Amino acid sequence: MNLRSGDVDTFDTSWRIRPETKRYHFKRGKPDHQVQFAFQNHWRVFRSILGNVRSGVALEVGAGRGSMAAFFADAGFDTCLLDTSATALASGRYNFERDDLSASYIVGDVLRLPFDDNSVDVITSIGLMEHFDDVRTPCAEQIRILKPGGVLLNYIVPERAISVQTLAIPINLLLRLIHWLGQVIGGKKRATPPAKPALYRNEYDSKHYLEIYRSLGLDDVGSYGTFPMPLVSHSYDFPFSPMSPDAEKVLMACWRVLLGIYGAISGRDPWTCPERWGLAFVVWGKKSREEGD
Ligand SMILES: C[S@@+](CC[C@H](N)C(=O)[O-])C[C@H]1O[C@@H](n2cnc3c(N)ncnc32)[C@H](O)[C@@H]1O
């Protein structure tokens, strides 16, 4: 087991045993909960970076259940999900079929991508790169297969003691207590989910990735902090767990108002924020077109 190259075994175990990994966050139209809301916002910002790249081959590496890849497939890209975990990909296929989306599914490693040089229009990853200590190698593979004019978007969730999520700790503890009391009073016996396996996460910031991108030949590059709202949930060890439908509706209404105010004051897309504040950051780059292209 190589703990610093994607934590492959730990993820595979997680996909097999943890109940929350069955959830999928793509939704057309109105989102049902905060995580779908977040993914719709991720997609809106991605679209603005993609510019006029609106079709062609889109590959999500470390695609898992395919939440982000689904937006590409829904927008008409010829989409491919690649992951080391066959279990995760089976869940992605199930989700796609249910949503009438088509894609190809490859059990593979981002360190040895089974694609020709210059063959993919868009490459993305969500929550993958922070699980490597050597991030140069997966970046080099991504850039190798990216077409001239193509776009690379890595969404990274770094290890951090303090971020916007810190604000939600007291709220989440209170919600957990209420949830637990509700179960005790209601006499419901809750099955304890298997323990969450520990994952390696690096602490690199966007500067580290941007240097790598530039040294590997991407000249049009950039980054932004993102996910400026904390996850609010009764689930202590997995705050991506949605609450009741009514609670989620209220929460999303609050978020819309706050993001509207923040966007008006800051003049930026409200889903982007300073890197130290957000739950994640995105490092993107476009591959130069070769002369004559
Ligand atoms: C945090 S999960 C993200 C899953 C997915 N992007 C999502 O949002 O649901 C990271 C994924 O990367 C996969 N992974 C880990 N190491 C990998 C590698 N070397 N190559 C390809 N996928 C890898 C794991 O199996 C896992 O599905």
Side-chain angles (χ1 to χ4, degrees), residues 5-8 11-12 15 25 39 60-68 82-85 88 108-111 125-128 130-132:
S5 287
D7 247 353
V8 170
F11 269 116
D12 193 51
W15 286 116
H25 310 308
F39 270 78
E60 182 176 352
V61 289
R65 67 213 122 170
S67 298
M68 198 70 226
L82 179 142
D83 202 289
T84 40
S85 168
D109 192 332
V110 67
L111 299 176
S125 75
I126 306 283
L128 172 65
E130 64 270 24
H131 302 293
F132 290 79

Side-chain angles (χ1 to χ4, degrees), residues 165-204:
Q165 191 61 32
T166 314
L167 293 179
I169 291 174
I171 304 168
N172 286 356
L173 282 172
L174 183 66
L175 287 171
R176 184 163 170 74
L177 179 68
I178 295 168
H179 186 71
W180 177 78
L181 281 175
Q183 285 183 326
V184 171
I185 294 164
K188 277 193 211 148
K189 186 126 177 65
R190 192 176 79 105
T192 312
K196 196 174 170 190
L199 287 161
Y200 167 74
R201 247 174 234 272
N202 68 44
E203 294 177 16
Y204 303 131

